[in-house]
Amino acid sequence: MADTFDLTVIGSGPGGYVAAIRAAQLGMKVAVVEKWATHGGTCLNIGCIPSKALLHASELFEEAGHSFKGFGIDIPAPTLNLPQMMQHKDDTVTANVSGVDFLFKKNKITPFRGVGSIGGPGKVLVTPEKGPGQTIETKNIIIATGSVSANLPGIEVDEERVVTSTGALKLKQVPKRLLVIGAGIIGLELGSVWARLGAKVTVVEFLDRIVPGLDSEAARQLNRMLQKQGLEFKLGTKVKSIDKNDNGTITARLEPAAGGDMELAEFDVALVAVGRKPFTEGLGLDVVGVALDERGRVRTDGHYRTNVAGIYAIGDVITGPMLAHKAEDEGIAVAEIIAGQAGHVNYGVIPSVLYTSPEVAWVGKSEDELKAEGIEYKIGKFPFTANGRAKAMLATQGFVKILADVKTDRVLGGVIISKSAGEMIHEITVLMEFSGAAEDLARTTHAHPTLSEAVREAALMCGDGAIHI
Ligand code: FAD
Ligand code: NAD
């Protein structure tokens, strides 16, 4: 009879693979079941990693065409080698997914290829694409099956002319006119990629603002910056239908969200980026009796336990922000909990980064949330126009905003819009993790000249004032 595993993880995305590694480090005998050919899930294969490879490459293309001159670098107008840019993206993905294979070997984790389903507590069935299935005996199971793109009713995705993020990451040519449905993170990141490479991008958003959840002041400023970059926005608008034309184009029917006259507009490609939904198909959850919530997510308690003993769930398939680092942290926490330790994730301090140019990064409460909750706050806000390094880099767009409690000075949230905002947000994140005050940050020496000095200046503005403004 086959060995019994201490833990079997279904799904090898950032939630699943991290849970497996931590569990193995804590002495468990671990199996991972993955239906795709490579490990790493959405994030490494068709999400975070390939999108960042294209975002970086397309930003360099844009800079070479527009910014080099100002630095005294005269070059002919750059030409796009899209196949090579895609090759860079694919190589980046390969390097990352093979990294997970290496980590599995290093930690003596046993991988199984095929669709995993739960045959009952302690039993995971693996059904490969070809060949016989097998049953894994296991003491514990973690469901880490992630999420898939949400669709709009009546709009058929073919991943060529009407694409999700997956198709938008591998278009064979730059569309002349790209329709982006949804001004959320995916829409703005991938819309930016194709706009930089030459597409005329129109973003249609149901709400009257972009990036729900982002501080509204930062969202307004980002909206203006993206418009300057050539993206057109139709806010308060919905796409009712898309027709595929014989000449290879598509016609979208747009309507004001509040109702009113419809408009027909022609595009070459449409990207549907209206959110993602939890994925539980084929897991056999109904058979074993694992409960879902009203939005189809696996219902868990504060310790990632489902209603069935020995079955846990983490990542995009449960409640909370659909972010890779949230899934990873839950992976560590659940492994520690199964090992009898006190695993924990601080959901109040999970940073978000939008990798547009400039980047936008935020953590904790936004000003809108503080207002809605009636919390008295003070604002320290510092613009990058007053930062020496930003001037030297011709990167003076944006600001740092720190929000602190009026009475205690404790930092409650922060937002940064600037080059490298995604790197800088972590000093506010660490500060918040330690329940720090704005004064703690303001009194911390920052190297000069760095963009991070703007973060310190914003903290100084929560007290006696910034120096350089
Ligand atoms: P997933 O990564 O979705 O992994 C689930 C895995 O389970 C998959 O490999 C799937 O094949 C497997 N699976 C499912 N069902 C079964 C089954 N029955 N049997 C076997 N295997 C199964 N987040 C960020 O934090 N930063 C970013 O920059 C970022 N960029 C993104 C860009 C794009 C285009 C997209 C789509 C997402 C992005 N995300 C980003 C979100 C991020 O990818 C997800 O939050 C993260 O991947 C969730 O991890 P997970 O482990 O829960 O699930
Ligand atoms: P999202 O929730 O960020 O944005 C979806 C947008 O579509 C919203 O603005 C919403 O109002 C709009 N919308 C919904 N229905 C619409 C309709 N019918 N017509 C027009 N607009 C409509 O979702 P997303 O951008 O698809 O991203 C999915 C998930 O992936 C998110 O949870 C995100 O956190 C994650 N992700 C993260 C990153 C990152 O961290 N950098 C990058 C990509 C994706």
Side-chain angles (χ1 to χ4, degrees):
M1 188 179 135
D3 291 349
T4 297
F5 287 91
D6 296 308
L7 171 66
T8 298
V9 184
I10 308 179
S12 69
Y17 87 73
V18 169
I21 292 170
R22 175 58 97 224
Q25 288 170 338
L26 294 173
M28 287 181 238
K29 185 174 163 55
V30 182
V32 173
V33 184
E34 172 56 58
K35 64 177 179 175
W36 287 350
T38 50
H39 293 123
T42 303
C43 180
L44 273 62
N45 290 282
I46 51 166
C48 329
I49 295 298
S51 61
K52 267 76 247 180
L54 289 185
L55 277 156
H56 183 71
S58 61
E59 192 172 347
L60 291 181
F61 179 73
E62 164 77 20
E63 283 180 10
H66 295 96
S67 317
F68 279 20
K69 214 173 174 52
F71 290 112
I73 307 168
D74 287 336
I75 52 163
T79 49
L80 176 64
N81 180 345
L82 188 60
Q84 177 55 35
M85 201 177 272
M86 290 293 171
Q87 190 59 53
H88 159 66
K89 175 208 66 175
D90 293 341
D91 292 346
T92 310
V93 168
T94 304
N96 279 278
V97 298
S98 8
V100 177
D101 292 343
F102 163 79
L103 292 171
F104 279 1
K105 275 198 196 97
K106 180 180 165 200
N107 288 285
K108 300 189 172 50
I109 293 163
T110 309
F112 291 84
R113 192 72 60 199
V115 174
S117 57
I118 304 175
K123 266 192 197 353
V124 173
L125 317 175
V126 184
T127 311
E129 220 173 304
K130 288 188 198 123
Q134 53 189 316
T135 301
I136 303 172
E137 306 283 339
T138 183
K139 290 183 192 146
N140 297 285
I141 298 169
I142 299 175
I143 301 167
T145 47
S147 63
V148 291
S149 301
N151 289 335
L152 286 174
I155 294 183
E156 188 204 329
V157 169
D158 59 18
E159 294 296 9
E160 281 182 9
R161 271 193 282 176
V162 181
V163 299
T164 65
S165 52
T166 305
L169 286 167
K170 54 179 188 197
L171 294 178
K172 292 195 180 66
Q173 56 191 37
V174 180
K176 282 200 184 68
R177 297 155 304 175
L178 173 67
L179 166 66
V180 173
I181 311 174
I185 301 204
I186 291 184
L188 298 186
E189 288 188 353
L190 295 180
S192 293
V193 165
W194 292 107
R196 291 168 192 165
L197 301 182
K200 170 81 193 99
V201 174
T202 305
V203 185
V204 172
E205 165 60 48
F206 186 80
L207 301 175
D208 59 4
R209 56 159 293 166
I210 64 170
V211 201
L214 167 63
D215 178 279
S216 53
E217 184 186 14
R220 278 194 303 275
Q221 193 163 130
L222 177 70
N223 200 343
R224 283 196 293 274
M225 290 170 178
L226 293 174
Q227 276 171 313
K228 277 201 191 140
Q229 292 170 25
L231 283 84
E232 186 194 350
F233 286 87
K234 286 181 183 291
L235 302 182
T237 305
K238 60 186 173 194
V239 177
K240 283 296 283 183
S241 62
I242 294 180
D243 290 327
K244 290 173 191 164
N245 305 321
D246 293 341
N247 66 356
T249 64
I250 52 174
T251 300
R253 196 173 107 172
L254 313 181
E255 266 181 26
D261 291 345
M262 69 131 179
E263 176 196 343
L264 293 178
E266 202 177 272
F267 300 93
D268 300 290
V269 173
L271 162 61
V272 182
V274 295
R276 292 179 61 81
K277 54 181 187 189
F279 182 77
T280 55
E281 260 171 57
L283 273 174
L285 297 188
D286 43 347
V287 178
V288 74
V290 169
L292 303 181
D293 70 11
E294 69 296 343
R295 290 167 66 180
R297 301 172 294 204
V298 177
R299 197 187 286 280
T300 49
D301 68 8
H303 289 97
Y304 311 104
R305 289 182 296 222
T306 69
N307 58 316
V308 177
I311 304 181
Y312 300 77
I314 54 166
D316 278 12
V317 80
I318 68 165
T319 187
M322 288 184 168
L323 294 172
H325 42 286
K326 175 260 191 190
E328 289 186 49
D329 283 4
E330 289 178 345
I332 293 176
V334 74
E336 291 173 350
I337 287 167
I338 293 171
Q341 300 182 359
H344 170 73
V345 176
N346 183 357
Y347 290 97
V349 190
I350 294 184
S352 290
V353 182
L354 169 55
Y355 296 84
T356 42
S357 174
E359 291 179 356
V360 190
W362 64 102
V363 64
K365 303 258 187 214
S366 67
E367 206 181 332
D368 314 76
E369 284 171 324
L370 292 174
K371 273 188 196 143
E373 290 171 27
I375 298 171
E376 283 194 274
Y377 61 94
K378 52 187 173 175
I379 303 175
K381 191 173 156 205
F382 190 84
F384 280 92
T385 43
N387 174 272
R389 183 72 185 280
K391 286 183 197 157
M393 294 165 74
L394 298 180
T396 52
Q397 285 188 318
F399 58 80
V400 180
K401 179 155 103 175
I402 291 179
L403 301 158
D405 187 281
V406 161
K407 290 196 195 78
T408 64
D409 196 38
R410 181 177 171 170
V411 172
L412 304 171
V415 57
I416 307 176
I417 175 163
S418 82
K419 195 170 191 69
S420 302
E423 304 297 335
M424 285 186 280
I425 196 67
H426 297 110
E427 71 171 308
I428 303 179
T429 308
V430 171
L431 182 76
M432 288 181 66
E433 191 62 46
F434 283 85
S435 306
E439 189 179 345
D440 295 321
L441 179 46
R443 290 193 182 277
T444 304
T445 304
H446 281 58
H448 176 75
T450 56
L451 296 176
S452 302
E453 284 174 291
V455 182
R456 185 208 188 172
E457 293 267 24
L460 277 162
M461 287 194 87
C462 289
D464 294 332
I467 301 299
H468 293 94
I469 196 167

